[in-house]
Structure formats: C-alpha cells, structure tokens
Amino acid sequence: MSSGALNWRVIRYFALGSVQIAFLGAYLFSRAPISLLLRAMGAFLLATVVFRWFGKKKVSRFPVTGFFGVGAGFSFLSAIVGSVGPLIVPFFTGHGLVKSTFIGTEALCTVV
C-alpha cells in the first residue's frame, strides 16, 4: 500500500492518545471485576446510541485533533474488551476518509 492511501495526520493524533492509555486499560482489565467491566461497556454502547439519536443533527467534519481523544478512548476500551473496531468507524468516516484511505488509515491506527 502506498503512503498516499494513509492519512498520517489522523494516525499521528490517534497514536498520541492511544499508546499510553492502552497500558492503563490493560492494568484496569487485570484488576477490575468482570461485572464492572461489562456494565461500563454497556453504558458506553448506550451512550453512543443516545448521542447518535439526540446529538447535533448538523455535524461538521470531525476534526483531526479529535483523534487524540478517539485514540485514547478506544485504546483504553480495546485493552479491556478486546476489539472495538466497529465502534470506531464513524469517527474515520466523519472526518471524510473514504475508500483505500479509510481502510489503510483505520488499519494502521488499529495496529498502533
């Protein structure tokens, strides 16, 4: 894959927020009771549904700087529950990534 199919700014911000928070998520996963983790994940999923239904209807393009928080949040969740891939897609598409740029950028962020 050529580097033209990657959005390096998105990857950079995602990596800045994700790497250190993944360690915190892994630590929490090793210490927290499973019932608490399941409730937290359920609350997160419900919150995303509520946000999608009642959030702003006219949303401008998702800012590249927002990927710092996306990287942190999803790396934390990924360390706890394994994979949160489908939940992250709206952020990449909301930024305007399509086709091979979406696939390449999202895949490299997942590797990070």
Side-chain angles (χ1 to χ4, degrees):
M1 172 181 294
S2 71
S3 64
L6 298 172
N7 187 318
W8 287 103
R9 289 189 70 211
V10 169
I11 294 166
R12 223 172 293 129
Y13 277 99
F14 190 93
L16 284 171
S18 67
V19 175
Q20 63 275 23
I21 298 300
F23 287 111
L24 177 63
Y27 177 77
L28 178 64
F29 178 73
S30 69
R31 301 286 187 219
I34 192 71
S35 62
L36 176 66
L37 297 175
L38 290 174
R39 287 185 185 135
M41 186 61 180
F44 173 77
L45 291 172
L46 289 173
T48 58
V49 170
V50 169
F51 177 76
R52 298 288 282 171
W53 278 96
F54 299 108
K56 294 180 184 177
K57 297 299 177 190
K58 285 189 169 185
V59 177
S60 61
R61 186 178 212 186
F62 188 75
V64 70
T65 54
F67 281 96
F68 179 85
V70 170
F74 282 96
S75 294
F76 180 76
L77 287 174
S78 184
I80 293 173
V81 297
S83 175
V84 291
L87 301 175
I88 203 168
V89 170
F91 295 99
F92 288 95
T93 57
H95 183 66
L97 301 180
V98 294
K99 299 182 181 181
S100 62
T101 305
F102 162 71
I103 292 170
T105 302
E106 194 274 335
L108 190 53
C109 285
T110 300
V111 169
V112 168

XYZ file of all heavy atoms in Angstrom:
850
model
N 0.842 -1.173 0.000
C 0.000 0.000 0.000
C 0.884 1.231 0.000
O 1.826 1.337 0.766
C -0.904 -0.034 1.234
C -1.695 1.219 1.435
S -2.720 1.159 2.914
C -3.849 -0.114 2.440
N 0.588 2.147 -0.852
C 1.384 3.361 -0.919
C 1.013 4.285 0.228
O -0.067 4.205 0.787
C 1.139 4.078 -2.254
O -0.156 4.639 -2.271
N 1.903 5.183 0.563
C 1.621 6.107 1.653
C 0.550 7.113 1.266
O 0.024 7.803 2.121
C 2.899 6.832 2.078
O 3.383 7.626 1.015
N 0.195 7.198 -0.026
C -0.882 8.071 -0.454
C -2.238 7.596 0.035
O -3.199 8.339 0.061
N -2.341 6.333 0.440
C -3.605 5.780 0.924
C -3.709 5.868 2.443
O -4.565 5.238 3.037
C -3.766 4.342 0.462
N -2.849 6.640 3.073
C -2.878 6.814 4.522
C -3.003 8.290 4.852
O -2.414 9.133 4.195
C -1.605 6.263 5.164
C -1.341 4.774 4.999
C 0.046 4.437 5.520
C -2.386 3.962 5.712
N -3.749 8.598 5.892
C -3.831 9.961 6.382
C -2.945 10.039 7.621
O -3.359 9.674 8.722
C -5.282 10.325 6.703
C -5.446 11.784 7.058
O -4.638 12.349 7.789
N -6.491 12.394 6.536
N -1.732 10.505 7.429
C -0.733 10.487 8.504
C -1.083 11.423 9.651
O -0.714 11.160 10.794
C 0.654 10.800 7.947
C 1.181 9.648 7.157
C 1.235 9.530 5.796
C 1.667 8.410 7.676
N 1.741 8.307 5.442
C 2.014 7.591 6.572
C 1.841 7.902 8.961
C 2.521 6.308 6.724
C 2.348 6.622 9.112
C 2.685 5.847 8.002
N -1.795 12.503 9.391
C -2.186 13.410 10.482
C -3.139 12.699 11.441
O -3.009 12.800 12.656
C -2.830 14.674 9.936
C -1.818 15.576 9.233
C -2.406 16.914 8.877
N -2.621 17.666 10.119
C -3.599 18.551 10.277
N -4.450 18.798 9.315
N -3.735 19.203 11.407
N -4.106 11.979 10.873
C -5.043 11.215 11.710
C -4.290 10.159 12.505
O -4.495 10.008 13.714
C -6.148 10.562 10.842
C -6.948 9.558 11.643
C -7.061 11.618 10.241
N -3.392 9.447 11.857
C -2.625 8.393 12.523
C -1.785 8.976 13.653
O -1.706 8.414 14.744
C -1.749 7.637 11.501
C -2.636 6.870 10.512
C -0.769 6.697 12.200
C -1.922 6.375 9.278
N -1.159 10.116 13.409
C -0.331 10.757 14.430
C -1.146 11.110 15.675
O -0.755 10.802 16.805
C 0.317 12.018 13.855
C 1.747 12.170 14.239
C 2.443 13.317 13.520
N 2.540 13.031 12.097
C 2.155 13.864 11.130
N 1.683 15.050 11.417
N 2.260 13.543 9.866
N -2.277 11.790 15.484
C -3.103 12.168 16.629
C -3.663 10.938 17.342
O -3.732 10.901 18.569
C -4.247 13.097 16.203
C -3.815 14.536 16.097
C -3.490 15.098 14.880
C -3.726 15.331 17.236
C -3.092 16.416 14.782
C -3.327 16.651 17.152
C -3.011 17.191 15.926
O -2.617 18.502 15.838
N -4.067 9.946 16.577
C -4.579 8.712 17.172
C -3.505 8.054 18.031
O -3.765 7.649 19.169
C -5.038 7.757 16.063
C -5.787 6.565 16.569
C -7.164 6.583 16.658
C -5.111 5.412 16.944
C -7.865 5.479 17.118
C -5.800 4.305 17.405
C -7.188 4.342 17.494
N -2.291 7.950 17.512
C -1.192 7.314 18.245
C -0.827 8.094 19.505
O -0.540 7.493 20.543
C 0.027 7.166 17.338
N -0.848 9.418 19.426
C -0.515 10.226 20.600
C -1.459 9.955 21.762
O -1.051 9.959 22.921
C -0.550 11.720 20.248
C 0.627 12.253 19.453
C 0.355 13.686 18.999
C 1.902 12.192 20.278
N -2.721 9.726 21.454
C -3.684 9.477 22.518
C -3.801 8.031 22.917
O -4.326 7.713 23.980
N -3.316 7.123 22.090
C -3.637 5.723 22.333
C -2.588 4.934 23.100
O -2.940 4.101 23.937
C -3.914 5.024 21.008
O -2.749 4.939 20.221
N -1.352 5.152 22.840
C -0.323 4.248 23.346
C -0.291 4.208 24.871
O -0.399 3.129 25.477
C 1.063 4.616 22.766
C 2.148 3.765 23.382
C 1.048 4.463 21.248
N -0.187 5.338 25.531
C -0.079 5.336 26.993
C -1.381 4.923 27.663
O -1.368 4.259 28.702
C 0.401 6.696 27.523
C -0.523 7.846 27.255
C -0.358 8.489 25.907
O 0.133 7.895 24.970
N -0.781 9.727 25.780
N -2.518 5.254 27.072
C -3.806 4.901 27.662
C -4.071 3.396 27.557
O -4.756 2.813 28.398
C -4.939 5.723 27.018
C -4.728 7.222 27.269
C -6.293 5.293 27.531
C -4.707 7.620 28.731
N -3.540 2.749 26.534
C -3.701 1.299 26.400
C -3.084 0.578 27.601
O -3.634 -0.430 28.069
C -3.071 0.811 25.102
N -1.981 1.083 28.120
C -1.371 0.485 29.307
C -2.295 0.614 30.525
O -2.444 -0.326 31.301
C -0.016 1.125 29.613
C 1.058 0.729 28.657
C 1.584 1.647 27.775
C 1.544 -0.574 28.631
C 2.574 1.288 26.879
C 2.535 -0.949 27.740
C 3.051 -0.008 26.859
N -2.927 1.776 30.659
C -3.872 1.970 31.753
C -5.061 1.013 31.619
O -5.496 0.414 32.603
C -4.365 3.421 31.775
C -5.410 3.767 32.823
C -4.856 3.577 34.223
C -5.898 5.187 32.612
N -5.583 0.851 30.403
C -6.686 -0.078 30.170
C -6.307 -1.513 30.494
O -7.091 -2.260 31.082
N -5.111 -1.905 30.104
C -4.649 -3.263 30.391
C -4.506 -3.484 31.899
O -4.861 -4.558 32.410
C -3.322 -3.520 29.691
N -4.015 -2.481 32.593
C -3.895 -2.590 34.050
C -5.272 -2.728 34.696
O -5.481 -3.577 35.561
C -3.151 -1.374 34.619
C -3.053 -1.404 36.124
C -2.134 -2.222 36.765
C -3.892 -0.625 36.900
C -2.048 -2.267 38.140
C -3.825 -0.663 38.278
C -2.902 -1.478 38.890
O -2.829 -1.528 40.266
N -6.209 -1.890 34.251
C -7.566 -1.955 34.788
C -8.199 -3.317 34.495
O -8.858 -3.898 35.351
C -8.431 -0.842 34.202
C -9.883 -0.824 34.653
C -9.961 -0.557 36.147
C -10.661 0.216 33.889
N -7.983 -3.823 33.296
C -8.522 -5.125 32.925
C -8.012 -6.224 33.865
O -8.752 -7.122 34.246
C -8.148 -5.462 31.487
C -8.615 -6.810 31.046
C -9.950 -7.048 30.787
C -7.717 -7.845 30.888
C -10.386 -8.302 30.381
C -8.129 -9.100 30.482
C -9.476 -9.324 30.227
N -6.766 -6.130 34.250
C -6.197 -7.164 35.118
C -6.669 -7.041 36.565
O -6.562 -8.001 37.325
C -4.669 -7.107 35.066
O -4.194 -5.930 35.690
N -7.197 -5.891 36.951
C -7.584 -5.654 38.344
C -9.086 -5.580 38.588
O -9.546 -5.886 39.680
C -6.967 -4.338 38.841
C -5.465 -4.311 38.762
C -4.885 -5.170 39.854
N -3.439 -5.002 39.858
C -2.601 -5.980 40.071
N -3.037 -7.179 40.304
N -1.317 -5.778 40.061
N -9.870 -5.137 37.619
C -11.296 -4.861 37.838
C -12.143 -6.130 37.742
O -11.831 -7.032 36.964
C -11.785 -3.840 36.823
N -13.223 -6.182 38.495
C -14.142 -7.322 38.378
C -14.871 -7.280 37.033
O -15.193 -6.212 36.514
C -15.128 -7.131 39.540
C -14.930 -5.747 40.036
C -13.607 -5.256 39.538
N -15.128 -8.446 36.476
C -15.717 -8.540 35.142
C -17.105 -7.895 35.091
O -17.472 -7.301 34.082
C -15.751 -10.006 34.645
C -16.098 -10.068 33.151
C -16.739 -10.828 35.418
C -15.021 -9.578 32.265
N -17.876 -7.981 36.157
C -19.215 -7.384 36.152
C -19.134 -5.862 35.969
O -19.951 -5.270 35.262
C -19.974 -7.732 37.429
O -19.310 -7.213 38.565
N -18.145 -5.246 36.581
C -17.960 -3.805 36.425
C -17.571 -3.460 34.984
O -18.079 -2.501 34.406
C -16.885 -3.294 37.397
C -16.517 -1.820 37.278
C -17.694 -0.946 37.676
C -15.308 -1.511 38.126
N -16.688 -4.250 34.408
C -16.261 -4.012 33.031
C -17.424 -4.177 32.053
O -17.576 -3.383 31.117
C -15.114 -4.950 32.668
C -13.832 -4.790 33.476
C -12.828 -5.864 33.089
C -13.258 -3.404 33.277
N -18.253 -5.183 32.264
C -19.404 -5.390 31.391
C -20.402 -4.249 31.500
O -20.951 -3.784 30.498
C -20.081 -6.723 31.712
C -19.305 -7.968 31.320
C -20.007 -9.217 31.829
C -19.118 -8.034 29.819
N -20.625 -3.764 32.688
C -21.540 -2.621 32.878
C -20.981 -1.358 32.226
O -21.719 -0.588 31.630
C -21.791 -2.389 34.362
C -22.681 -3.427 34.964
C -23.008 -3.095 36.401
N -23.777 -4.196 36.963
C -23.563 -4.724 38.136
N -22.605 -4.247 38.913
N -24.297 -5.717 38.568
N -19.696 -1.149 32.351
C -19.076 0.036 31.737
C -19.193 -0.018 30.211
O -19.498 0.989 29.567
C -17.614 0.147 32.161
N -18.957 -1.184 29.639
C -19.080 -1.321 28.188
C -20.526 -1.126 27.757
O -20.798 -0.468 26.751
C -18.558 -2.690 27.744
C -18.518 -2.849 26.254
S -17.425 -1.625 25.516
C -17.580 -2.065 23.816
N -21.463 -1.668 28.494
C -22.878 -1.475 28.182
C -23.274 -0.011 28.254
O -24.008 0.494 27.399
N -22.791 0.691 29.265
C -23.080 2.116 29.399
C -22.501 2.902 28.231
O -23.140 3.817 27.694
C -22.529 2.647 30.726
N -21.307 2.528 27.816
C -20.693 3.201 26.675
C -21.515 2.988 25.410
O -21.767 3.925 24.650
C -19.264 2.694 26.469
C -18.634 3.212 25.221
C -18.152 4.510 25.166
C -18.539 2.421 24.083
C -17.583 5.004 24.005
C -17.974 2.899 22.930
C -17.489 4.203 22.885
N -21.950 1.752 25.171
C -22.748 1.464 23.979
C -24.077 2.223 24.007
O -24.506 2.775 22.995
C -22.993 -0.038 23.849
C -21.768 -0.868 23.509
C -22.100 -2.354 23.597
C -21.244 -0.520 22.124
N -24.728 2.273 25.159
C -25.969 3.036 25.269
C -25.737 4.532 25.041
O -26.541 5.197 24.396
C -26.610 2.796 26.640
C -27.209 1.416 26.854
C -27.663 1.256 28.309
C -28.361 1.164 25.900
N -24.635 5.032 25.560
C -24.318 6.450 25.363
C -24.096 6.778 23.892
O -24.520 7.844 23.421
C -23.091 6.831 26.186
N -23.463 5.883 23.146
C -23.264 6.146 21.722
C -24.590 6.155 20.975
O -24.791 6.962 20.073
C -22.303 5.129 21.069
O -22.811 3.811 21.247
C -20.913 5.240 21.631
N -25.509 5.285 21.355
C -26.828 5.273 20.713
C -27.570 6.566 21.019
O -28.131 7.200 20.124
C -27.648 4.042 21.178
C -29.095 4.157 20.724
C -27.021 2.765 20.653
N -27.566 6.983 22.281
C -28.242 8.224 22.662
C -27.631 9.410 21.927
O -28.345 10.278 21.413
C -28.177 8.424 24.195
C -28.628 9.816 24.598
C -29.018 7.364 24.891
N -26.317 9.449 21.850
C -25.654 10.556 21.152
C -26.040 10.587 19.680
O -26.293 11.640 19.117
C -24.139 10.460 21.296
C -23.429 11.538 20.543
C -23.398 12.825 21.035
C -22.807 11.275 19.326
C -22.748 13.841 20.333
C -22.174 12.268 18.625
C -22.142 13.562 19.128
N -26.085 9.416 19.042
C -26.435 9.354 17.614
C -27.869 9.814 17.376
O -28.178 10.406 16.369
C -26.239 7.948 17.069
C -24.821 7.446 17.128
C -23.927 8.086 16.150
N -24.140 7.513 14.844
C -23.607 7.987 13.738
N -22.832 9.028 13.811
N -23.840 7.435 12.592
N -28.762 9.516 18.312
C -30.164 9.897 18.132
C -30.434 11.346 18.518
O -31.231 12.022 17.884
C -31.075 8.988 18.954
C -31.350 7.702 18.255
C -30.682 6.531 18.444
C -32.313 7.454 17.233
N -31.186 5.563 17.600
C -32.192 6.110 16.852
C -33.275 8.242 16.600
C -32.989 5.526 15.885
C -34.068 7.655 15.630
C -33.919 6.328 15.284
N -29.827 11.816 19.585
C -30.154 13.137 20.110
C -29.037 14.158 19.983
O -29.224 15.300 20.384
C -30.558 13.030 21.584
C -31.759 12.168 21.793
C -31.637 10.922 22.380
C -33.009 12.598 21.388
C -32.739 10.110 22.571
C -34.123 11.802 21.571
C -33.994 10.553 22.161
N -27.919 13.755 19.440
C -26.806 14.688 19.266
C -27.112 15.700 18.172
O -28.203 15.733 17.596
N -26.169 16.532 17.887
C -26.334 17.530 16.836
C -26.689 16.842 15.522
O -26.063 15.876 15.136
C -25.046 18.317 16.641
C -24.656 19.177 17.792
C -23.357 19.888 17.456
C -22.850 20.700 18.597
N -21.569 21.325 18.290
N -27.677 17.380 14.856
C -28.056 16.812 13.565
C -27.114 17.281 12.455
O -26.801 16.534 11.558
C -29.507 17.178 13.209
C -30.498 16.607 14.186
C -30.443 15.109 14.201
C -31.393 14.552 15.233
N -31.265 13.177 15.481
N -26.674 18.510 12.544
C -25.726 19.018 11.564
C -24.340 18.990 12.185
O -23.970 19.856 12.950
C -26.069 20.452 11.157
C -27.247 20.551 10.244
C -27.371 21.966 9.740
C -28.387 22.008 8.623
N -28.455 23.326 8.024
N -23.620 17.968 11.861
C -22.272 17.815 12.409
C -21.281 18.134 11.309
O -21.343 17.572 10.223
C -22.047 16.379 12.937
C -20.636 16.210 13.441
C -23.048 16.058 14.027
N -20.405 19.069 11.596
C -19.367 19.375 10.616
C -18.347 18.242 10.627
O -18.429 17.306 11.420
C -18.714 20.708 10.939
O -18.110 20.662 12.205
N -17.398 18.337 9.784
C -16.369 17.309 9.674
C -15.671 17.097 11.017
O -15.322 18.061 11.697
C -15.365 17.757 8.622
C -14.349 16.743 8.306
C -13.465 17.280 7.230
N -13.017 16.175 6.426
C -12.153 16.275 5.470
N -11.670 17.452 5.158
N -11.771 15.235 4.797
N -15.471 15.837 11.387
C -14.798 15.509 12.647
C -13.361 16.009 12.566
O -12.634 15.675 11.628
C -14.844 13.993 12.883
C -14.339 13.586 14.232
C -15.113 13.796 15.364
C -13.091 13.017 14.374
C -14.644 13.431 16.615
C -12.616 12.646 15.616
C -13.398 12.857 16.736
N -12.913 16.806 13.538
C -11.576 17.413 13.449
C -10.458 16.403 13.668
O -10.603 15.446 14.439
C -11.589 18.455 14.572
C -12.567 17.929 15.557
C -13.622 17.197 14.754
N -9.343 16.630 13.007
C -8.197 15.723 13.124
C -7.671 15.699 14.557
O -7.222 14.666 15.035
C -7.094 16.079 12.104
C -6.401 17.376 12.455
C -6.091 14.948 11.976
N -7.755 16.821 15.266
C -7.279 16.850 16.644
C -8.149 15.986 17.559
O -7.698 15.558 18.611
C -7.250 18.290 17.179
O -8.547 18.883 17.001
C -6.214 19.131 16.450
N -9.372 15.704 17.149
C -10.253 14.845 17.926
C -9.774 13.406 17.983
O -10.192 12.637 18.851
N -8.883 13.044 17.063
C -8.381 11.668 17.058
C -7.450 11.389 18.225
O -7.176 10.233 18.525
C -7.714 11.338 15.718
C -8.725 11.040 14.659
C -9.132 12.021 13.783
C -9.289 9.781 14.568
C -10.083 11.762 12.822
C -10.239 9.505 13.612
C -10.643 10.500 12.736
N -6.978 12.424 18.907
C -6.224 12.211 20.151
C -7.135 11.535 21.170
O -6.784 10.516 21.765
C -5.696 13.546 20.695
C -4.934 13.401 21.979
C -3.589 13.093 21.965
C -5.564 13.563 23.197
C -2.882 12.942 23.153
C -4.877 13.420 24.388
C -3.522 13.114 24.367
N -8.323 12.087 21.361
C -9.291 11.501 22.288
C -9.840 10.175 21.812
O -10.069 9.265 22.605
N -10.058 10.063 20.500
C -10.544 8.801 19.938
C -9.511 7.707 20.173
O -9.850 6.599 20.600
C -10.851 8.946 18.430
C -11.127 7.606 17.794
C -12.032 9.888 18.217
N -8.248 8.019 19.933
C -7.192 7.037 20.164
C -7.108 6.628 21.611
O -6.986 5.447 21.938
N -7.203 7.608 22.510
C -7.135 7.309 23.943
C -8.327 6.462 24.374
O -8.160 5.420 25.024
C -7.086 8.610 24.745
N -9.515 6.891 24.009
C -10.720 6.181 24.435
C -10.815 4.766 23.891
O -11.104 3.822 24.625
N -10.542 4.630 22.612
C -10.688 3.318 22.012
C -9.541 2.376 22.354
O -9.731 1.170 22.420
C -10.913 3.432 20.509
C -12.328 3.827 20.197
C -12.653 5.144 19.974
C -13.333 2.881 20.174
C -13.962 5.515 19.721
C -14.638 3.233 19.914
C -14.964 4.560 19.686
N -8.369 2.898 22.605
C -7.269 2.039 23.062
C -7.550 1.538 24.464
O -7.280 0.380 24.781
C -5.950 2.793 23.023
O -5.605 3.085 21.701
N -8.095 2.399 25.294
C -8.475 2.005 26.645
C -9.527 0.900 26.595
O -9.388 -0.141 27.233
C -9.003 3.228 27.402
C -9.416 2.943 28.802
C -8.462 2.766 29.793
C -10.752 2.862 29.143
C -8.840 2.510 31.101
C -11.140 2.607 30.439
C -10.184 2.435 31.422
N -10.578 1.116 25.802
C -11.639 0.109 25.680
C -11.134 -1.183 25.044
O -11.510 -2.276 25.446
C -12.803 0.659 24.864
C -13.673 1.700 25.555
C -14.697 2.267 24.581
C -14.367 1.105 26.762
N -10.269 -1.052 24.055
C -9.737 -2.225 23.382
C -8.907 -3.078 24.340
O -8.944 -4.304 24.277
C -8.893 -1.808 22.182
O -8.452 -2.925 21.474
N -8.173 -2.438 25.229
C -7.381 -3.181 26.208
C -8.271 -3.927 27.184
O -7.908 -4.984 27.681
C -6.454 -2.232 26.969
N -9.472 -3.404 27.413
C -10.385 -4.021 28.369
C -11.243 -5.106 27.723
O -11.375 -6.201 28.250
C -11.279 -2.949 29.031
C -10.422 -2.049 29.914
C -12.398 -3.585 29.838
C -11.148 -0.871 30.477
N -11.836 -4.802 26.566
C -12.809 -5.737 25.977
C -12.306 -6.453 24.734
O -13.003 -7.285 24.190
C -14.149 -5.034 25.665
C -14.786 -4.524 26.920
C -13.967 -3.935 24.642
N -11.156 -6.124 24.254
C -10.602 -6.837 23.106
C -10.634 -6.030 21.831
O -9.642 -5.499 21.415
N -11.791 -5.925 21.220
C -11.870 -5.222 19.943
C -13.076 -4.300 19.920
O -14.179 -4.700 20.249
C -11.987 -6.230 18.800
O -12.171 -5.543 17.582
N -12.840 -3.076 19.538
C -13.920 -2.096 19.431
C -13.977 -1.529 18.014
O -14.456 -0.428 17.793
C -13.748 -0.965 20.468
C -13.984 -1.464 21.874
C -12.382 -0.323 20.356
N -13.480 -2.313 17.068
C -13.389 -1.874 15.682
C -14.637 -1.242 15.100
O -14.579 -0.141 14.547
N -15.796 -1.897 15.188
C -16.988 -1.307 14.585
C -17.409 0.024 15.209
O -18.042 0.845 14.553
C -18.073 -2.364 14.822
C -17.334 -3.632 15.019
C -16.026 -3.254 15.655
N -17.056 0.252 16.462
C -17.443 1.492 17.121
C -16.600 2.687 16.685
O -16.991 3.830 16.879
C -17.336 1.329 18.642
C -18.177 0.229 19.268
C -17.865 0.111 20.742
C -19.648 0.496 19.046
N -15.451 2.427 16.104
C -14.536 3.494 15.744
C -14.778 4.040 14.327
O -14.383 5.146 14.003
C -13.081 3.017 15.922
C -12.147 4.186 16.108
C -12.633 2.149 14.791
C -10.768 3.783 16.564
N -15.460 3.262 13.517
C -15.670 3.617 12.112
C -16.308 4.989 11.923
O -15.856 5.766 11.075
C -16.475 2.508 11.386
C -16.926 2.949 10.017
C -15.640 1.249 11.292
N -17.347 5.370 12.683
C -17.964 6.675 12.446
C -17.017 7.870 12.585
O -17.215 8.899 11.943
C -19.078 6.746 13.493
C -19.374 5.336 13.830
C -18.084 4.597 13.676
N -15.985 7.731 13.389
C -15.045 8.833 13.548
C -14.193 9.022 12.287
O -13.929 10.138 11.873
C -14.157 8.601 14.773
C -14.926 8.613 16.056
C -15.310 7.427 16.660
C -15.296 9.809 16.645
C -16.033 7.426 17.838
C -16.020 9.833 17.818
C -16.397 8.636 18.423
N -13.775 7.917 11.701
C -12.968 7.999 10.487
C -13.795 8.483 9.301
O -13.349 9.314 8.531
C -12.324 6.642 10.176
C -11.220 6.289 11.128
C -11.460 5.496 12.230
C -9.937 6.763 10.926
C -10.450 5.182 13.115
C -8.914 6.456 11.804
C -9.168 5.666 12.901
N -14.996 7.951 9.170
C -15.851 8.402 8.065
C -16.337 9.827 8.311
O -16.522 10.585 7.369
C -17.046 7.454 7.854
O -17.790 7.342 9.066
C -16.566 6.084 7.412
N -16.526 10.193 9.583
C -16.920 11.559 9.921
C -15.836 12.576 9.607
O -16.105 13.762 9.449
N -14.619 12.118 9.524
C -13.507 13.000 9.146
C -13.405 13.133 7.626
O -12.682 13.970 7.120
C -12.189 12.478 9.729
C -11.024 13.369 9.451
N -10.924 14.641 9.983
C -9.917 13.193 8.690
C -9.795 15.203 9.552
N -9.168 14.337 8.774
N -14.131 12.280 6.928
C -14.127 12.354 5.472
C -13.260 11.317 4.785
O -13.022 11.403 3.580
N -12.770 10.341 5.537
C -11.944 9.301 4.932
C -12.835 8.312 4.181
O -13.852 7.864 4.710
C -11.133 8.567 5.990
C -10.177 9.422 6.823
C -9.447 8.564 7.832
C -9.198 10.153 5.940
N -12.461 7.992 2.959
C -13.222 7.053 2.142
C -12.272 6.110 1.423
O -11.074 6.365 1.315
C -14.109 7.779 1.098
C -15.197 8.595 1.791
C -13.289 8.671 0.200
N -12.826 5.018 0.956
C -12.132 4.022 0.133
C -10.822 3.566 0.763
O -10.762 3.232 1.933
C -11.945 4.531 -1.278
C -13.256 4.817 -1.987
C -13.001 5.269 -3.384
C -14.319 5.577 -4.085
N -14.113 6.002 -5.443
N -9.758 3.547 -0.019
C -8.490 2.993 0.458
C -7.864 3.840 1.560
O -7.172 3.306 2.424
C -7.505 2.821 -0.701
O -7.209 4.064 -1.288
N -8.118 5.147 1.567
C -7.577 5.982 2.643
C -8.231 5.621 3.968
O -7.568 5.552 4.997
C -7.774 7.474 2.332
O -7.197 7.762 1.061
C -7.141 8.345 3.389
N -9.532 5.383 3.948
C -10.223 4.943 5.167
C -9.669 3.599 5.640
O -9.314 3.436 6.803
C -11.732 4.844 4.934
C -12.433 4.008 5.964
C -12.585 4.468 7.264
C -12.896 2.748 5.648
C -13.206 3.682 8.218
C -13.520 1.964 6.594
C -13.676 2.431 7.886
N -9.595 2.637 4.748
C -9.160 1.291 5.120
C -7.725 1.305 5.634
O -7.419 0.740 6.683
C -9.302 0.325 3.927
C -10.781 0.120 3.609
C -8.632 -1.014 4.227
C -11.033 -0.613 2.318
N -6.828 1.965 4.926
C -5.426 1.994 5.329
C -5.203 2.729 6.633
O -4.473 2.254 7.517
N -5.841 3.887 6.784
C -5.655 4.693 7.994
C -6.243 3.981 9.210
O -5.606 3.898 10.259
C -6.301 6.078 7.813
O -5.713 6.713 6.672
C -6.105 6.946 9.035
N -7.445 3.455 9.079
C -8.070 2.751 10.190
C -7.284 1.501 10.579
O -7.091 1.208 11.750
C -9.521 2.381 9.827
C -10.382 1.948 11.015
C -10.243 0.472 11.321
O -9.898 -0.313 10.418
O -10.473 0.107 12.479
N -6.765 0.791 9.582
C -5.984 -0.419 9.861
C -4.689 -0.087 10.600
O -4.322 -0.760 11.572
C -5.673 -1.148 8.553
N -3.992 0.947 10.164
C -2.745 1.310 10.840
C -3.016 1.828 12.247
O -2.261 1.533 13.186
C -1.951 2.324 10.026
C -0.544 2.608 10.503
C 0.273 1.327 10.660
C 0.163 3.562 9.557
N -4.097 2.578 12.439
C -4.454 3.027 13.785
C -4.777 1.842 14.680
O -4.417 1.833 15.853
C -5.639 3.992 13.719
S -5.212 5.632 13.111
N -5.424 0.834 14.141
C -5.733 -0.364 14.917
C -4.448 -1.075 15.326
O -4.335 -1.576 16.447
C -6.642 -1.317 14.110
O -7.859 -0.619 13.810
C -6.960 -2.567 14.886
N -3.477 -1.113 14.446
C -2.190 -1.730 14.780
C -1.509 -0.961 15.899
O -0.943 -1.554 16.823
C -1.273 -1.793 13.530
C 0.147 -2.169 13.917
C -1.830 -2.778 12.521
N -1.567 0.365 15.846
C -0.966 1.190 16.898
C -1.611 0.858 18.218
O -0.976 0.678 19.227
C -1.121 2.695 16.582
C -0.766 3.543 17.781
C -0.276 3.072 15.398
